[in-house]
Amino acid sequence: MLARRLASPFAAAAARLLSTAAPAGGGGRGAGRGETLGKRLLQLIYPKRSAVVVLRRWAEEGRSVQKYQLNRVVRELRKYRRYKHALEICEWMRTQPEMRLLPGDHAVHLDLVAKVRGLASAEKFFEDMPERAKAPSTCNALLHAYVQHGVREKAEAMLAEMARAGYLTCALPFNHMMSMYMASGELERVPEMIKQLRRYTVPDLVTYNIWLTYCSKKSSVKSAERVFDLMKDDRVVPDWMTFSLLASIYINAGLHVKGRDALVEMEKRASRKERSAYSSLLTLYASLSDRGNLDRVWNKMKQTFRKFCDTEYKCMLTSLTRFDDITEAMNVYREWESASGTRDSRIPNTILSYYIKNGMIEKAESFLGQIVEKRVKPSYSTWELFVWGYLSSNRTDKVLECLEKALSCLEKWEPNQQLATAIFSHVEKTGDIEVAEKLLVMFRDAGYVTTVMYNSILRTYVKAELMPLIVEERMEQDKVVMDEETRRLLRLTSKYPIGEVSTLMS
């Protein structure tokens, strides 16, 4: 059953290869009717199996291997994130003297090395490449690897090197750089990069979509319209993403008529191949509070696609909860429950979020029990939702319980400063130093202790009119620096009796 489920995404890919490529060479032993090398490779499924073994057996059967066939298989494998098998094929091709590899082949190989073995291996691969292969495509592949790993200095140095070599002949390297700056929040670098791009070449569709994303983050309608006009001047054909970005900018600015017009254009460009456009349509129509078009698009999706993915169910559930239609949301949820085998907690989390945000904590607890019975494992986000819910209902014991469960779901916690501040502020008001000290231990174990936390604990001691012990030593161990507020609070608590909890913690 598992193998069948894993194989299903690749069955269509294998069928495509099968329909367009006849078996190469003679019909050696083991050859099934209509069997191709591509089909065999795509059916590997499990990462531990070797693509090289398949290639060798194919050759042993007296069959020839064509480069174009392998390139197509590699393309399909990359599409489905089966990078290990794709890399094995590229490495095998490198060992075949009759296969003349072009710079584009080396670029694909480098990208796969970066994905499977890491950046250092990709750099070594680039260094060891024949000089003739160090072309714009391979340089772009290494630049992309730098951007994906967030190595800004090396990415900028690579772009400068490409400029010196005369390799900046298309928009791709600039698009990589702009994506990196957007991801790091350095929005001011985007217009600079576009100016630099225009000195070397012309923007493409991706450039303009990144540029519109920049306008969206700046909430600038005028800039977005100016960019769209430039796009038309450059005769760049917009896609669904272009109109999705425009619609979002208009809707957020309250220009609903323009937003609707953009959505109409966007829907014209949505297709089976661009199915993520439909999820975006659901979200944007919900933002417009347009229930009629939300339902219409959902029904259109049912007629267009045989099955929905989890992301599409999540978009519809989130949209329905925005309309407070929990009844229909539950109907869609039950449909997901019966149709999907992923048990992804993000889907029931949309229902839990609705209950908790609307103060229906008992219903949330009951629903949690139901999903656990159906073997959906609560995630960090599930427990975080309950932390917020119990904070609102002043149930401190449950806050600590759910926080502990949330942190136990993670190997490493990405600190949520808003959550930590809210919990400590709540405990401050109660004056419960035992809970405050327990919280400190929990966050310390999660690798996150700050001066603000210590100050909150000290304010809790002030509220309880008790004195903590060896705070300076504890802060030093936690590598936390005292500020003026810390010192003021320590002076204030020094006149109180020593708290028993503080003695125990010390």
Side-chain angles (χ1 to χ4, degrees):
M1 180 67 82
L2 176 61
R4 196 181 308 128
R5 190 159 63 244
L6 287 169
S8 60
F10 312 114
R16 283 197 296 274
L17 290 168
L18 182 60
S19 64
T20 56
R29 60 185 172 79
R33 184 184 173 188
E35 187 179 32
T36 65
L37 177 57
K39 186 175 180 182
R40 281 196 194 178
L41 289 165
L42 288 166
Q43 287 177 339
L44 280 172
I45 304 171
Y46 298 107
K48 286 185 179 180
R49 293 180 181 173
S50 172
V52 175
V53 171
V54 173
L55 289 163
R56 284 175 183 162
R57 284 179 182 166
W58 186 266
E60 286 168 4
E61 291 169 9
R63 299 177 167 212
S64 62
V65 180
Q66 301 297 323
K67 181 187 163 190
Y68 81 91
Q69 290 176 303
L70 295 181
N71 282 341
R72 292 182 64 193
V73 175
V74 167
R75 192 160 57 243
E76 291 291 340
L77 290 170
R78 290 175 79 201
K79 179 180 174 182
Y80 293 109
R81 299 178 183 272
R82 283 174 53 184
Y83 301 127
K84 176 184 172 288
H85 289 146
L87 177 58
E88 287 172 349
I89 294 169
C90 288
E91 288 175 338
W92 185 86
M93 288 168 70
R94 242 185 145 191
T95 65
Q96 306 306 301
E98 73 279 5
M99 286 195 181
R100 184 170 172 271
L101 299 180
L102 302 174
D105 301 314
H106 289 287
V108 170
H109 194 160
L110 189 151
D111 178 70
L112 289 166
V113 170
K115 285 179 167 63
V116 177
R117 300 198 179 115
L119 184 58
S121 296
E123 290 178 308
K124 181 70 167 57
F125 179 86
F126 185 81
E127 288 170 12
D128 296 343
M129 233 187 271
E131 283 303 314
R132 68 179 183 277
K134 292 178 181 177
S137 56
T138 46
C139 290
N140 267 321
L142 185 57
L143 174 62
H144 186 225
Y146 286 142
V147 167
Q148 285 189 316
H149 287 81
V151 188
R152 173 181 160 167
E153 294 79 8
K154 288 188 175 183
E156 290 173 338
M158 190 62 179
L159 188 74
E161 187 64 35
M162 290 175 73
R164 285 191 288 271
Y167 288 169
L168 298 180
T169 56
C170 70
L172 182 60
F174 298 99
N175 294 341
H176 288 325
M177 296 300 292
M178 285 189 286
S179 297
M180 182 179 70
Y181 292 135
M182 292 283 286
S184 63
E186 298 174 89
L187 299 184
E188 70 283 354
R189 300 298 303 273
V190 173
E192 293 175 19
M193 194 53 56
I194 290 168
K195 284 180 185 176
Q196 192 175 342
L197 184 159
R198 284 189 172 279
R199 286 201 296 269
Y200 288 95
T201 183
V202 292
D204 61 10
L205 176 61
V206 176
T207 308
Y208 276 110
N209 284 344
I210 294 172
W211 201 350
L212 284 170
T213 305
Y214 163 82
C215 295
S216 175
K217 289 185 181 293
K218 287 289 188 179
S219 302
S220 176
V221 174
K222 286 184 179 178
S223 295
E225 291 180 331
R226 191 160 55 248
V227 169
F228 189 62
D229 287 340
L230 283 170
M231 190 177 187
K232 288 187 284 188
D233 292 343
D234 284 339
R235 296 183 181 179
V236 175
V237 179
D239 65 355
W240 72 265
M241 178 61 75
T242 311
F243 287 104
S244 175
L245 289 163
L246 282 171
S248 178
I249 292 166
Y250 285 135
I251 292 167
N252 290 335
L255 302 172
H256 291 179
V257 173
K258 286 188 173 183
R260 287 178 192 280
D261 291 343
L263 288 177
V264 169
E265 293 300 319
M266 177 185 167
E267 191 168 347
K268 287 178 185 176
R269 291 157 178 81
S271 67
R272 291 181 66 90
K273 290 182 180 179
E274 303 286 357
R275 66 183 291 169
S276 54
Y278 288 97
S279 296
S280 185
L281 280 168
L282 293 174
T283 301
L284 290 166
Y285 275 125
S287 298
L288 276 173
S289 300
D290 188 341
R291 180 62 187 271
N293 272 313
L294 175 74
D295 291 338
R296 180 186 60 77
V297 171
W298 183 246
N299 288 328
K300 183 177 179 180
M301 290 170 69
K302 286 183 175 180
Q303 293 166 7
T304 307
F305 306 114
R306 187 174 61 85
K307 282 182 70 177
F308 290 146
C309 66
D310 286 357
T311 301
E312 289 157 347
Y313 277 115
K314 188 175 184 295
C315 278
M316 188 56 178
L317 285 168
T318 304
S319 300
L320 288 168
T321 56
R322 291 185 71 164
F323 287 99
D324 288 323
D325 192 346
I326 191 62
T327 303
E328 183 57 27
M330 284 303 301
N331 289 336
V332 172
Y333 174 78
R334 291 189 188 99
E335 182 184 317
W336 168 81
E337 204 173 44
S338 62
S340 174
T342 63
R343 299 189 179 89
D344 187 340
S345 64
R346 289 174 295 183
I347 312 304
N349 279 356
T350 56
I351 305 293
L352 287 169
S353 178
Y354 175 81
Y355 284 141
I356 289 167
K357 284 178 182 176
N358 287 278
M360 295 183 274
I361 196 72
E362 292 82 7
K363 284 198 170 185
E365 290 169 337
S366 173
F367 185 68
L368 177 65
Q370 292 171 35
I371 68 171
V372 169
E373 281 181 14
K374 294 288 179 70
R375 292 187 294 153
V376 174
K377 186 179 179 181
S379 62
Y380 168 83
S381 299
T382 310
W383 296 119
E384 187 184 292
L385 284 169
F386 276 98
V387 169
W388 286 111
Y390 289 129
L391 274 174
S392 300
S393 54
N394 295 317
R395 294 171 64 181
T396 308
D397 57 331
K398 299 296 285 184
V399 168
L400 261 65
E401 180 187 325
C402 292
L403 178 64
E404 187 174 13
K405 288 179 178 177
L407 295 174
S408 70
C409 292
L410 304 171
E411 287 185 15
K412 184 179 179 182
W413 186 54
E414 291 294 330
N416 183 335
Q417 188 176 348
Q418 185 184 10
L419 180 72
T421 302
I423 297 172
F424 273 106
S425 297
H426 169 76
V427 174
E428 266 186 52
K429 293 171 189 173
T430 66
D432 193 328
I433 58 171
E434 184 176 355
V435 170
E437 292 283 10
K438 280 182 180 177
L439 272 175
L440 181 64
V441 172
M442 289 170 70
F443 282 113
R444 181 186 291 126
D445 290 343
Y448 181 66
V449 182
T450 66
T451 305
V452 172
M453 286 180 177
Y454 265 101
N455 288 347
S456 178
I457 289 170
L458 289 172
R459 283 192 292 272
T460 310
Y461 273 97
V462 171
K463 177 83 172 178
E465 297 188 350
L466 291 169
M467 183 179 73
L469 285 178
I470 59 167
V471 173
E472 290 185 43
E473 290 88 338
R474 289 159 65 189
M475 290 182 77
E476 189 176 341
Q477 282 185 342
D478 288 329
K479 296 181 173 58
V480 175
V481 180
M482 283 189 171
D483 62 9
E484 284 304 312
E485 174 70 357
T486 316
R487 295 185 180 90
R488 185 187 72 81
L489 290 165
L490 282 172
R491 288 194 298 270
L492 194 57
T493 57
S494 64
K495 63 185 179 182
Y496 297 133
I498 296 170
E500 290 181 12
V501 172
S502 183
T503 308
L504 180 65
M505 295 305 295
S506 302

